[in-house]
């Protein structure tokens, strides 16, 4: 088993040129044993002169794979978004939507996907010029929304999101060719050390952990409730966290965390009375449009992975 190094070392694998989108440069869920190899894509695609992030912020993102900002959303927009969420929580029709996901073993709402297409407030948040400008700079291109969701980790009922790399899923199940996407978590309620904050492994984005197990049909119907497949194995995860540690950015409503598509992250359950309700919007580079899923199965629904209209923001 290859050891986890703090810094990427020369890959033992010859980097595969991106000569065809069908080339699987990050094979996963194909072997009976896990593997770890270097990332084959840049982390930061843009320059300090290309947007609002200064050179120090870009260096931090390059090194850690995430950036946290205490207050980005205007108070009025934040208030509108919190009110819109409250209406969704109490609208009985929401429970019938295909893009609504419930906690494992309960009927507690866990996530609502494609919220950027839901109403004007959620679209304003997901298309926020400050967020889009940072995403364009990090990805070095125009961007579109690959996925958006509210993860409403309710008080007492919010269940965990086990450790994973989003890119592993987006590559295998959605056909995302390269690591050129970034997630933006926007707090609608305070994210404290106690109510299940996003936990990230700083520097984990430099290595790709190939997972074991074969992707079943319609895997999303299970994985969005509790992801047991396409997650790092305990041995590699132990080595990774022993080497790199865990950081859990906290902040008030309106705080924002950008995290690279391959940064390993997860979150614990919420046994406090206080919800940890966050909007997650995923910006993908328009140079990184989805191809045929590398698992060979049918593409996931459009409300999970956009492939119908690549609306440049
Ligand atoms: O499968 C997905 O796209 C979703 N699953 C997780 C655990 N994080 C990313 C995304 O929400
Ligand atoms: Fe995730």
């Amino acid at each position: 088993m290859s050891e986890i190094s703090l810094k990427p070392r020369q890959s033992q694998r010859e980097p595969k040129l991106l000569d065809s989108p069908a080339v699987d440069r990050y094979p996963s869920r194909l072997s009976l044993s896990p593997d770890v190899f270097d990332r084959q894509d840049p982390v930061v695609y843009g320059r300090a002169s290309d947007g609002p992030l200064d050179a120090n912020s870009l260096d931090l993102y390059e090194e850690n794979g995430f950036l946290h900002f205490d207050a980005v959303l205007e108070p009025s927009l934040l208030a509108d978004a919190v009110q819109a969420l409250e209406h969704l929580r109490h609208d009985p029709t929401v429970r019938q939507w295909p893009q609504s996901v419930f906690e494992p073993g309960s009927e507690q709402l866990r996530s609502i996907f494609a919220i950027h297409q839901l109403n004007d407030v959620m679209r304003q948040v997901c298309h926020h010029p400050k967020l889009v400008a940072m995403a364009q700079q990090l990805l070095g291109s125009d961007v579109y929304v690959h996925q958006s969701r509210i993860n409403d980790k309710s008080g007492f009922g919010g269940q965990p999101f086990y450790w994973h790399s989003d890119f592993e899923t987006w590559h295998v199940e959605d056909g995302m060719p390269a690591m050129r996407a970034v997630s933006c978590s926007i707090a609608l309620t305070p994210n404290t050390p106690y109510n299940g904050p996003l936990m990230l492994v700083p520097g984990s984005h430099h290595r790709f952990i190939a997972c074991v197990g074969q992707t079943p049909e319609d895997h999303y119907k299970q994985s969005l409730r509790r992801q047991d497949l396409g997650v790092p194995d305990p041995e590699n995860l132990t080595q990774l966290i022993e080497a790199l540690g865990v950081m859990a950015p906290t902040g008030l409503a309106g705080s924002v965390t950008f995290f690279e598509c391959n940064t390993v992250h997860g979150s614990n359950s919420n046994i406090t009375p206080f919800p940890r309700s966050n909007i997650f919007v995923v910006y993908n580079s328009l140079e990184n449009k989805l191809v045929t899923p590398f698992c060979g199965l049918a593409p996931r629904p459009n409300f999970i992975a956009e492939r119908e209209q690549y609306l440049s923001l």
Side-chain angles (χ1 to χ4, degrees), residues 56-174:
N56 181 53
S57 297
L58 295 181
D59 290 347
L60 275 175
Y61 185 79
E62 170 76 35
E63 180 170 356
N64 293 328
F66 69 91
L67 287 171
H68 179 76
F69 303 93
D70 272 332
V72 175
L73 287 196
E74 297 77 5
S76 57
L77 179 56
L78 175 62
D80 291 347
V82 169
Q83 188 179 38
L85 172 59
E86 202 51 32
H87 288 154
L88 290 169
R89 280 192 188 128
H90 295 94
D91 177 349
T93 61
V94 170
R95 309 185 67 79
Q96 317 307 322
W97 293 349
Q99 69 265 45
S100 294
V101 179
F102 299 94
E103 295 289 6
S106 92
E107 287 312 300
Q108 175 69 44
L109 187 67
R110 178 178 172 91
S111 305
I112 304 172
F113 279 77
I115 55 138
H116 66 294
Q117 295 168 338
L118 203 50
N119 57 49
D120 192 49
V121 169
M122 294 303 176
R123 181 171 37 256
Q124 280 183 60
V125 173
C126 296
H127 292 187
H128 195 291
K130 285 183 191 171
L131 304 180
V132 171
M134 288 191 269
Q136 288 170 331
Q137 187 177 9
L138 293 170
L139 304 179
S141 72
D142 285 335
V143 301
Y144 72 95
V145 176
H146 161 69
Q147 178 184 105
S148 70
R149 65 198 185 271
I150 288 177
N151 282 352
D152 193 18
K153 197 184 278 261
S154 63
F156 296 122
Q159 294 305 300
F161 288 80
Y162 187 69
W163 297 108
H164 63 282
S165 153
D166 290 337
F167 177 76
E168 194 278 344
T169 291
W170 296 339
H171 179 75
V172 171
E173 298 192 54
D174 296 332

Side-chain angles (χ1 to χ4, degrees), residues 223-295:
S223 67
L224 296 182
R225 302 187 74 179
R226 193 187 65 223
Q227 187 170 358
D228 301 320
L229 187 109
V231 294
D233 63 287
E235 277 184 274
N236 279 309
L237 202 53
T238 301
Q239 278 201 49
L240 192 77
I241 294 177
E242 281 178 345
L244 301 174
V246 173
M247 294 179 80
T250 57
L252 298 176
S255 59
V256 165
T257 303
F258 276 86
F259 57 105
E260 210 274 339
C261 61
N262 188 45
T263 303
V264 171
H265 62 284
S267 59
N268 286 318
S269 64
N270 180 8
I271 58 170
T272 74
F274 313 113
R276 193 232 65 184
S277 307
N278 291 16
I279 287 174
F280 289 78
V281 49
V282 182
Y283 301 105
N284 188 26
S285 167
L286 276 163
E287 308 301 320
N288 194 37
K289 292 176 184 172
L290 306 185
V291 298
T292 304
F294 289 94
C295 61

